[in-house]
Amino acid sequence: MRLKIKSTEDFWAGLIFFGIGLYAIYLAWDYPMGSALRMGPGYFPTSLGAILSAFGLAIIALSFRLELENPAHVPWAFRPWLVLCGTLVVYGLMMRFELGFVPSLMTLIIGCSLAHRDVHLLETALLSVFLTAACVGVFIYGLGLPFRLFWWSY
Amino acid sequence: MEALLYNLTYGFSVALTLENIFYCFSGVFLGTLIGVLPGVGSLATVAMLLPLTFALPPVSAIIMLAGIYYGSEYGGSTTSILVNLPGEGSSVVTCIEGHPMARQGRAGHALAIAAIGSFFAGCVCTLVVAIFGPLLASVALQFGAPEYFSLMVMALTCASVVGGGSVLKSLAMVTLGLLVGIVGTDVNSGIWRFAFDLWTLADGISVAVVAMGVFGLTEIIKNLGDDEIPPTLLQKKITGLMPRWKDLKQAFAPILRGTAIGACFGPLPGLGGTASSFASYMVEKKVAKDPSRFGNGAIEGVAGPESANNACSQTTFIPMLTLGIPNSGTMALMLSALTIHGIAPGPQVMTSHPDLFWGLIASMWIGNAMLLILNLPLVGVWVRLLKVPYRLLFPVIITMMGIGIYSLNSDPADVFLMAFFGFTGYVVVKCRCSLPPMILGLVLGPLMEENLRRALLISRGDPTVFFTRPISLGFMIATAVLLLMFLAPVYRRARKVAPAEEEG
């Protein structure tokens, strides 16, 4: 009989945990270990890394033989996953380079609306205008957050 | 008794200032507002609204956060009853009986009984917290570093074992959280650990950023990936909000039983509202004269679990306030909020910040009364909110998160980190790992290292210290028993029936 991966999710989870555990040990390699009496900065992270990779190995091992009831498979939501995270990074960059509160927010709102499977252009445009206006009112004028409105302001 | 009365009066004097009433109200209101949205649980709600409280004084902040927490629990039940879309595990039970009631045109009765049950449970459990909190704190004051370390080991293990889902993966997630908690400057040596030479990481990763990423963002990605079920409102007009005498009589005993169950389950790690509301439902079904009514809108099945859930969400504060050890993801967020305000959590909080402890307890009672007023007459507002399509709602939520996270430190790196945790959080969810244990680990990471270090220093490097001191040994034995339970086949089969705890 051939060994088969019974639970792919567990297999990948285990692999990720194992990898992160090893990586933590690798990173903590440079920190002084100290002794049990005087724990150095490397003591706790290295132990945790070891424990995590051990858990990872155990999860991988069990994924080969454990037959779990397989719940309905939900497809990977690639579009919202990539679009939302990407939009937030763009928003962060725009705030970083101080392009202004208004353009950054409008980009954020329009960008993340694209994550939904049906995009209504007019609706999104209206939403971005009204929501941005409301946020400017509440956060800039109401709460006095010190952000510039546009890149040419101040 | 006299001291209790004195302290409660003092608490009310703190909670009843105009300022704190306002923050309590805003918390309850905003919590209900976000909690009503389908598919948003209380943990996600607290995570999203956390930054709002950072600018407030500590007492007001914690009062508002607590309000957000039980407000969102409450909003979740409204959604379950009206549109059958539970936002979290604990509301699933409310759906079972509450939704059939709505289908029969009795939505008003279900909502009213849920509100009254929750209010009663809230009042009773506020007293429970006021009585048992100080007791537990006086015990905890005698804990040394070894006891604390063992207690944390037990709490984390318990949260993983009882929480549902794969135990091994939950334990791994706890460990991962502890590792993320290490990121930043080591307090003892000044060395930057896991900081990749980035200034932003030198201060450590804020729990708020991680929580918004893995609960806020990941939650939205998950919702967008699922097939959207358009909310179907059954009743245009909700009537019968004044409870009938018959209903009250029928619901009285279930409310009492539910309150007792919830009060006992609340302080235990891992057993959140889900476990207590399921337990209460099972009990009601067992004691009912005619169990066949269950599933077709039995009012006991709304009254019991709703009271249990609300009772649980009050008593769950006990370990966080008195031991400084959170027992759920939401409490981990509360604890991080305290830390941000410079309050060192632990048993000394009650004596060093009595205004915080007693003010919070008094505000819980006020908040519960507000919920009762807010929800019954205003239910029409929430209903209208449920009609807004998700494609318009989620950009609003993300915008709030985007502004909130940036206003923490005016640091764009926080936005990037949130995106990163949302990104990886979705991978983790796809691997069927649960996220709340990770947040627990993240919050407890630095505390655990510190106590391990101190314990080993006291014992001159001898690790048996955890097994020779009686209290610490007790915690260790409890941990071992928990792990054995997980290995025992009978218990494992029983766990499969129990639902996975999502709310943490």
Side-chain angles (χ1 to χ4, degrees):
Chain A
M1 217 180 106
R2 220 154 46 91
L3 259 182
K4 264 174 69 180
I5 301 183
K6 288 285 167 57
S7 163
T8 31
E9 285 122 356
D10 277 17
F11 176 76
W12 286 111
L15 207 60
I16 293 171
F17 289 133
F18 181 63
I20 296 177
L22 284 191
Y23 189 52
I25 296 176
Y26 165 76
L27 286 175
W29 204 255
D30 295 335
Y31 315 143
M33 273 297 271
S35 63
L37 177 56
R38 283 186 196 290
M39 274 168 53
Y43 196 93
F44 197 55
T46 310
S47 330
L48 286 180
I51 295 173
L52 185 58
S53 42
F55 277 137
L57 280 183
I59 294 168
I60 294 175
L62 288 175
S63 78
F64 280 99
R65 53 174 202 80
L66 259 189
E67 182 136 34
L68 295 165
E69 71 269 50
N70 233 350
H73 186 71
V74 182
W76 197 289
F78 277 110
R79 180 165 166 176
W81 184 48
L82 297 176
V83 173
L84 284 186
C85 298
T87 308
L88 275 164
V89 171
V90 173
Y91 164 75
L93 284 173
M94 291 179 75
M95 292 301 264
R96 163 77 185 74
F97 293 105
E98 297 190 26
L99 292 182
F101 193 66
V102 173
S104 311
L105 268 198
M106 289 184 83
T107 314
L108 178 66
I109 298 163
I110 294 171
C112 70
S113 298
L114 299 179
H116 199 275
R117 64 169 74 76
D118 37 83
V119 182
H120 298 227
L121 278 181
L122 182 68
E123 203 180 74
T124 307
L126 284 175
L127 179 72
S128 73
V129 170
F130 283 110
L131 189 55
T132 309
C135 287
V136 169
V138 172
F139 292 100
I140 305 287
Y141 293 107
L143 294 174
L145 289 189
F147 303 143
R148 68 163 97 182
L149 288 182
F150 295 96
W151 59 89
W152 64 78
S153 322
Y154 301 39
Chain B
M1 192 63 213
E2 227 165 273
L4 181 70
L5 268 180
Y6 170 77
N7 283 327
L8 280 179
T9 324
Y10 173 60
F12 275 103
S13 74
V14 173
L16 281 176
T17 57
L18 215 54
E19 204 190 351
N20 285 338
I21 291 179
F22 171 73
Y23 288 124
C24 184
F25 176 77
S26 351
V28 169
F29 181 78
L30 287 174
T32 316
L33 185 73
I34 308 280
V36 154
L37 305 179
V40 185
S42 58
L43 185 52
T45 312
V46 176
M48 286 172 203
L49 298 177
L50 191 59
L52 278 181
T53 63
F54 285 163
L56 310 179
V59 179
S60 310
I62 199 80
I63 284 178
M64 181 163 166
L65 273 176
I68 292 172
Y69 173 49
Y70 44 75
S72 66
E73 290 274 343
Y74 201 96
S77 1
T78 308
T79 315
S80 320
I81 291 173
L82 291 179
V83 294
N84 207 15
L85 290 174
E88 59 204 316
S90 53
S91 322
V92 173
V93 189
T94 315
C95 281
I96 308 178
E97 298 300 330
H99 195 62
M101 281 183 80
R103 238 179 302 152
Q104 297 154 9
R106 292 196 292 152
H109 294 149
L111 287 169
I113 271 310
I116 291 165
S118 297
F119 178 68
F120 176 79
C123 294
V124 172
C125 289
T126 303
L127 275 178
V128 172
V129 179
I131 294 167
F132 287 98
L135 281 180
L136 198 57
S138 60
V139 175
L141 275 173
Q142 287 153 19
F143 287 4
E147 283 79 20
Y148 259 107
F149 182 79
S150 310
L151 177 61
M152 282 187 250
V153 172
M154 184 189 81
L156 290 176
T157 315
C158 189
S160 315
V161 174
V162 195
S166 154
V167 175
L168 256 184
K169 283 196 279 187
S170 296
L171 285 171
M173 287 303 286
V174 164
T175 320
L176 186 63
L178 291 171
L179 269 173
V180 178
I182 284 177
V183 174
T185 315
D186 177 33
V187 278
N188 284 284
S189 61
I191 289 182
W192 286 15
R193 294 188 291 180
F194 301 150
F196 305 99
D197 287 324
L198 296 171
W199 269 106
T200 345
L201 292 183
D203 279 342
I205 298 177
S206 148
V207 179
V209 173
V210 182
M212 278 216 238
V214 297
F215 297 120
L217 200 52
T218 302
E219 201 65 36
I220 292 174
I221 296 174
K222 214 167 62 181
N223 287 344
L224 285 173
D226 293 345
D227 286 319
E228 201 166 323
I229 316 155
T232 40
L233 279 172
L234 298 147
Q235 276 177 290
K236 289 256 156 49
K237 198 111 182 75
I238 291 169
T239 49
L241 283 171
M242 276 313 280
R244 292 176 303 176
W245 187 238
K246 191 178 131 246
D247 285 346
L248 278 178
K249 234 168 39 192
Q250 214 172 357
F252 183 67
I255 288 176
L256 282 184
R257 284 190 288 263
T259 306
I261 291 171
C264 296
F265 276 33
L268 302 173
L271 288 170
T274 312
S276 55
S277 50
F278 259 92
S280 161
Y281 185 70
M282 290 305 169
V283 168
E284 291 316 320
K285 215 170 161 179
K286 274 258 157 62
V287 301
K289 283 198 201 86
D290 177 17
S292 66
R293 286 194 305 119
F294 279 75
N296 304 315
I299 198 154
E300 299 97 312
V302 177
E306 273 301 302
S307 318
N309 187 27
N310 204 42
C312 179
S313 59
Q314 315 285 325
T315 51
T316 193
F317 278 87
I318 294 178
M320 193 272 287
L321 285 171
T322 59
L323 304 174
I325 295 186
N327 55 353
S328 68
T330 321
M331 285 306 119
L333 291 182
M334 301 266 172
L335 192 83
S336 75
L338 285 184
T339 327
I340 284 171
H341 287 291
I343 294 170
Q348 75 288 350
V349 165
M350 206 173 300
T351 40
S352 62
H353 298 274
D355 53 335
L356 189 128
F357 184 82
W358 296 105
L360 176 61
I361 288 178
S363 86
M364 282 176 177
W365 192 85
I366 298 169
N368 272 297
M370 279 178 184
L371 274 177
L372 194 63
I373 301 167
L374 195 63
N375 275 287
L376 291 182
L378 280 187
V379 76
V381 177
W382 311 132
V383 169
R384 217 159 300 147
L385 192 66
L386 284 173
K387 285 186 188 148
V388 181
Y390 195 65
R391 64 166 192 279
L392 287 177
L393 280 176
F394 84 92
V396 179
I397 301 175
I398 292 206
T399 308
M400 292 305 138
M401 282 164 51
I403 299 175
I405 203 87
Y406 190 78
S407 62
L408 283 184
N409 309 311
S410 295
D411 186 356
D414 284 340
V415 182
F416 301 142
L417 268 180
M418 182 177 86
F420 172 77
F421 278 104
F423 190 80
T424 45
Y426 187 64
V427 179
V428 168
V429 165
K430 275 291 159 193
C431 289
R432 290 187 201 290
C433 297
S434 54
L435 290 162
M438 191 195 108
I439 288 286
L440 276 182
L442 171 62
V443 171
L444 288 182
L447 274 175
M448 230 175 152
E449 182 178 20
E450 197 44 47
N451 281 297
L452 178 64
R453 186 198 315 269
R454 268 193 259 154
L456 289 177
L457 200 64
I458 299 167
S459 72
R460 309 199 162 271
D462 180 9
T464 57
V465 66
F466 300 114
F467 304 98
T468 48
R469 296 174 56 139
I471 301 177
S472 170
L473 179 67
F475 290 141
M476 283 300 185
I477 290 176
T479 311
V481 170
L482 279 168
L483 285 175
L484 283 177
M485 263 163 73
F486 145 63
L487 292 172
V490 184
Y491 179 64
R492 246 163 125 174
R493 235 172 286 133
R495 271 181 98 255
K496 265 187 197 153
V497 188
E501 173 92 14
E502 277 295 328
E503 78 188 282

